[in-house]
Amino acid sequence: MARGKQPAKTAPRTTALTRTVDEFEAAFWPDEQPVENAVVMTMGALHAGHAALIRAARRQVGRDGRVAVTVFVNPLQFGAGEDLDRYPRSLDADLEVAREAGADVVFAPTAEEMYPNGEPLVRLSAGPMGDGFEGAARPGHFDGMLTVVAKLLHITDPDFALFGEKDAQQLAIVRRMVADLDFDVEVVGVPTVREEDGLALSSRNRFLSDTERAQALALSGALFAGRDAGAQGAKAVREAAAAVLDAAEGVTPDYLALIDPDSFTEAPDDFTGEAVLAVAAKVGSTRLIDNVGVIVR
């Protein structure tokens, strides 16, 4: 992606909304002067967490670089009974968030633009890294995610692709795809953005009632308790986190796992080093995920 750099711009930054690949290319590369560029891929319903990703992308490429934000609710990532139709869509608000955070272009294609021949017959596979945890709960989800990420990497041709650390399994799988399939892009992880009380920002938080939102704090509480027990070993991490979840009302856990980040498999009891403590649970009818990094001694 050697698009190089160009002299500093002095004109005020604007954010173009594009709906087709041709429109995007014309807006993102308006001239032949090469610059470093970055992409932030989203499914819309942008919140402060997404804004943090966009600002990180702007810092990555500098004032003279270009930042693209993609907004696409990818049907390949939703299985039977999942919330494709319920997923929030707010393009006008998304455009404003992207503009304020420093994006140059928003690419918001339709499904027909992304998949002009219908759902693709050939798709990428997440392989063993996509079988457990979120992959077990949502079969085929990561295959659909990788397929659209690969397409968007080809369309946007970025030097940097930024992903939130909140979706730890997604980030690990994208990094492995880039390494295994020789994509010429640097994948950058951006720390999870939280409310002051610890709740991780998520587009799905809007579905929580006031009572459910208070109950959802058990997820981050469990993760922080496990993180604090890291010096006592892997077993202590699991026990400390599980104790918080077991005492929580209104929370139905799906999984709580201490994970080796390289393989994204469950870490054994004798594991030491950097790990990911991850949780998924339903609060009311809303399924939430969260994770923290843990140093296990």
Side-chain angles (χ1 to χ4, degrees):
M1 325 249 166
R3 295 190 180 276
K5 296 183 178 179
Q6 70 178 14
K9 305 171 195 172
T10 57
R13 192 177 306 283
T14 59
T15 303
L17 173 61
T18 61
R19 305 305 301 267
T20 70
V21 173
D22 287 344
E23 289 175 356
F24 171 79
E25 291 180 346
F28 202 49
W29 296 300
D31 50 50
E32 295 302 316
Q33 292 181 294
V35 295
E36 281 194 329
N37 61 83
V39 64
V40 174
M41 300 181 191
T42 83
M43 292 209 298
L46 302 190
H47 50 63
H50 296 107
L53 283 169
I54 299 166
R55 289 194 297 268
R58 173 54 59 199
R59 291 192 297 270
Q60 190 76 47
V61 301
R63 176 175 174 80
D64 302 335
R66 296 190 183 117
V67 174
V69 175
T70 69
V71 175
F72 179 60
V73 183
N74 179 30
L76 302 187
Q77 291 175 229
F78 292 80
E82 290 192 323
D83 54 357
L84 173 60
D85 293 334
R86 186 177 176 227
Y87 197 87
R89 293 162 172 83
S90 52
L91 184 56
D92 289 343
D94 293 344
L95 185 62
E96 183 63 17
V97 171
R99 185 192 65 77
E100 291 184 355
D104 295 289
V105 179
V106 169
F107 177 49
T110 63
E112 291 74 21
E113 178 70 13
M114 287 297 292
Y115 306 121
N117 299 312
E119 290 194 0
L121 298 180
V122 176
R123 309 184 188 189
L124 290 180
S125 170
M129 288 185 72
D131 289 341
F133 311 113
E134 287 304 292
R138 305 176 66 188
H141 167 74
F142 288 118
D143 294 351
M145 179 275 294
L146 283 183
T147 300
V148 79
V149 166
K151 284 179 68 74
L152 289 170
L153 287 176
H154 288 311
I155 292 167
T156 59
D157 191 20
D159 298 291
F160 306 98
L162 288 85
F163 292 86
E165 292 178 355
K166 176 177 171 288
D167 295 305
Q169 191 170 9
Q170 172 180 274
L171 175 58
I173 292 171
V174 169
R175 279 180 165 152
R176 192 57 185 254
M177 177 192 74
V178 164
D180 286 353
L181 302 184
D182 296 321
F183 278 79
D184 186 14
V185 62
E186 180 179 339
V187 176
V188 179
V190 178
T192 301
V193 178
R194 299 183 180 276
E195 301 281 4
E196 290 185 3
D197 57 10
L199 184 68
L201 295 187
S202 169
S203 300
R204 290 187 168 130
N205 289 351
R206 68 184 65 193
F207 299 133
L208 299 171
S209 68
D210 290 344
T211 298
E212 290 167 347
R213 191 197 177 287
Q215 293 169 336
L217 293 176
L219 276 69
S220 56
L223 296 178
F224 297 157
R227 181 182 61 191
D228 292 344
Q232 283 74 55
K235 184 177 180 182
V237 170
R238 293 187 178 95
E239 290 176 346
V244 175
L245 280 185
D246 290 344
E249 295 184 0
V251 177
T252 305
D254 184 350
Y255 61 79
L256 172 68
L258 186 66
I259 298 167
D260 180 337
D262 292 331
S263 61
F264 227 85
T265 56
E266 187 86 34
D269 282 345
D270 62 354
F271 179 91
T272 59
E274 296 183 4
V276 173
L277 182 61
V279 64
K282 272 195 171 183
V283 182
S285 61
T286 303
R287 188 173 184 275
L288 302 175
I289 63 172
D290 198 358
N291 73 86
V292 295
V294 180
I295 304 298
V296 183
R297 306 295 185 188

